[in-house]
Amino acid sequence: QVQLVESGGGLVQPGGSLRLSCAASGSIFSINAMSWYRQAPGKQRELVAAITSGDNTNYADSVKGRFAVSRDNAKNTVYLQMNSLKPEDTAVYYCNANIWTTRWGIPSDYWGQGTQVTVSS
Protein backbone atom coordinates (compact mmCIF):
# COMPACT_ATOMS: atom_id res chain seq x y z
CA GLN A 1 0.00 0.00 0.00
CA VAL A 2 1.24 3.48 -0.90
CA GLN A 3 1.28 6.23 1.69
CA LEU A 4 1.94 9.95 1.22
CA VAL A 5 2.78 11.95 4.31
CA GLU A 6 3.03 15.74 4.29
CA SER A 7 4.91 17.78 6.84
CA GLY A 8 6.13 21.31 7.39
CA GLY A 9 2.90 23.23 7.76
CA GLY A 10 2.29 25.74 10.49
CA LEU A 11 1.51 29.33 11.32
CA VAL A 12 3.71 32.07 9.89
CA GLN A 13 3.55 35.83 9.56
CA PRO A 14 3.01 37.52 6.20
CA GLY A 15 6.29 37.66 4.34
CA GLY A 16 7.55 34.54 6.05
CA SER A 17 8.58 31.21 4.60
CA LEU A 18 7.72 27.55 4.99
CA ARG A 19 9.01 24.42 3.36
CA LEU A 20 6.55 21.58 2.89
CA SER A 21 7.64 18.00 2.36
CA CYS A 22 5.73 14.99 1.12
CA ALA A 23 7.28 11.56 1.30
CA ALA A 24 5.85 8.58 -0.52
CA SER A 25 6.40 5.09 0.80
CA GLY A 26 5.15 1.57 0.27
CA SER A 27 4.92 -0.49 -2.87
CA ILE A 28 6.40 1.98 -5.33
CA PHE A 29 7.95 1.05 -8.62
CA SER A 30 8.07 4.50 -10.17
CA ILE A 31 6.59 7.95 -9.61
CA ASN A 32 5.45 10.09 -12.49
CA ALA A 33 4.31 13.63 -11.75
CA MET A 34 4.12 14.95 -8.21
CA SER A 35 2.13 18.01 -7.31
CA TRP A 36 0.80 20.24 -4.58
CA TYR A 37 -2.80 21.33 -4.23
CA ARG A 38 -4.42 23.57 -1.68
CA GLN A 39 -7.92 24.16 -0.43
CA ALA A 40 -8.96 27.23 1.47
CA PRO A 41 -12.18 27.41 3.49
CA GLY A 42 -15.17 27.78 1.20
CA LYS A 43 -13.11 27.30 -1.94
CA GLN A 44 -12.41 24.45 -4.30
CA ARG A 45 -9.14 22.60 -4.28
CA GLU A 46 -6.68 24.14 -6.71
CA LEU A 47 -3.39 23.10 -8.22
CA VAL A 48 -0.51 25.09 -6.77
CA ALA A 49 2.55 23.51 -8.35
CA ALA A 50 3.49 20.39 -10.25
CA ILE A 51 6.73 18.72 -11.23
CA THR A 52 7.18 15.98 -13.78
CA SER A 53 9.57 13.08 -13.67
CA GLY A 54 11.79 15.16 -15.96
CA ASP A 55 11.76 18.09 -13.50
CA ASN A 56 9.54 20.31 -15.61
CA THR A 57 7.50 22.56 -13.34
CA ASN A 58 4.23 24.45 -13.50
CA TYR A 59 2.82 26.96 -11.05
CA ALA A 60 -0.42 28.70 -10.41
CA ASP A 61 -0.17 32.36 -11.40
CA SER A 62 -0.82 33.40 -7.83
CA VAL A 63 2.37 31.75 -6.55
CA LYS A 64 4.80 32.27 -9.42
CA GLY A 65 8.03 33.81 -8.25
CA ARG A 66 7.27 32.98 -4.62
CA PHE A 67 6.96 29.19 -4.50
CA ALA A 68 9.31 26.54 -5.83
CA VAL A 69 8.58 22.85 -6.21
CA SER A 70 11.33 20.25 -6.33
CA ARG A 71 11.72 16.52 -5.89
CA ASP A 72 14.22 14.00 -4.65
CA ASN A 73 13.61 10.79 -6.53
CA ALA A 74 15.96 8.78 -4.33
CA LYS A 75 13.76 9.67 -1.35
CA ASN A 76 10.43 9.58 -3.19
CA THR A 77 9.84 13.05 -1.83
CA VAL A 78 8.45 16.28 -3.23
CA TYR A 79 9.02 19.67 -1.64
CA LEU A 80 7.31 23.02 -1.81
CA GLN A 81 9.38 26.01 -0.77
CA MET A 82 7.04 28.87 0.00
CA ASN A 83 8.45 32.37 0.34
CA SER A 84 6.89 35.79 0.75
CA LEU A 85 3.77 34.19 2.13
CA LYS A 86 0.51 36.10 2.03
CA PRO A 87 -2.68 35.67 4.06
CA GLU A 88 -4.40 34.41 0.92
CA ASP A 89 -2.00 31.46 0.90
CA THR A 90 -3.76 30.14 3.98
CA ALA A 91 -5.13 26.70 3.15
CA VAL A 92 -4.73 23.01 3.69
CA TYR A 93 -2.00 21.83 1.35
CA TYR A 94 -2.18 18.36 -0.15
CA CYS A 95 0.41 16.48 -2.12
CA ASN A 96 -0.47 14.20 -4.99
CA ALA A 97 1.59 11.63 -6.82
CA ASN A 98 0.92 9.49 -9.85
CA ILE A 99 2.55 6.18 -8.99
CA TRP A 100 3.31 2.85 -10.60
CA THR A 101 3.16 0.14 -7.96
CA THR A 102 4.41 -2.54 -10.36
CA ARG A 103 6.47 -2.54 -13.51
CA TRP A 104 3.34 -3.61 -15.39
CA GLY A 105 -0.16 -2.28 -15.28
CA ILE A 106 -1.28 1.31 -14.92
CA PRO A 107 -0.39 4.08 -12.49
CA SER A 108 -2.76 5.52 -9.93
CA ASP A 109 -3.08 8.83 -8.11
CA TYR A 110 -2.42 8.98 -4.39
CA TRP A 111 -3.07 11.79 -1.94
CA GLY A 112 -1.58 12.84 1.33
CA GLN A 113 -3.65 13.72 4.37
CA GLY A 114 -2.97 17.44 4.07
CA THR A 115 -1.06 19.92 6.18
CA GLN A 116 -2.42 23.25 7.41
CA VAL A 117 -0.66 26.45 6.41
CA THR A 118 -1.85 29.61 8.12
CA VAL A 119 -0.44 33.03 7.25
CA SER A 120 -1.50 35.65 9.75
CA SER A 121 -0.12 38.49 11.81
Side-chain angles (χ1 to χ4, degrees), residues 81-103:
Q81 179 67 47
M82 305 186 294
N83 300 321
S84 302
L85 283 162
K86 304 175 180 179
E88 50 263 46
D89 295 319
T90 296
V92 177
Y93 285 71
Y94 300 89
C95 70
N96 172 276
N98 188 250
I99 297 175
W100 297 78
T101 58
T102 65
R103 67 182 69 241

Side-chain angles (χ1 to χ4, degrees), residues 22-90:
C22 176
S25 62
S27 300
I28 298 172
F29 174 73
S30 181
I31 301 178
N32 296 318
M34 305 184 81
S35 57
W36 289 95
Y37 290 75
R38 68 185 181 188
Q39 188 166 24
K43 297 185 180 296
Q44 291 191 328
R45 188 173 300 184
E46 64 173 345
L47 178 67
V48 177
I51 183 167
T52 69
S53 60
D55 285 341
N56 293 121
T57 58
N58 289 299
Y59 299 93
D61 287 341
S62 60
V63 307
K64 286 181 179 177
R66 300 189 297 120
F67 291 9
V69 63
S70 61
R71 63 192 288 169
D72 185 337
N73 291 328
K75 297 181 178 180
N76 290 331
T77 298
V78 61
Y79 305 94
L80 185 67
Q81 179 67 47
M82 305 186 294
N83 300 321
S84 302
L85 283 162
K86 304 175 180 179
E88 50 263 46
D89 295 319
T90 296

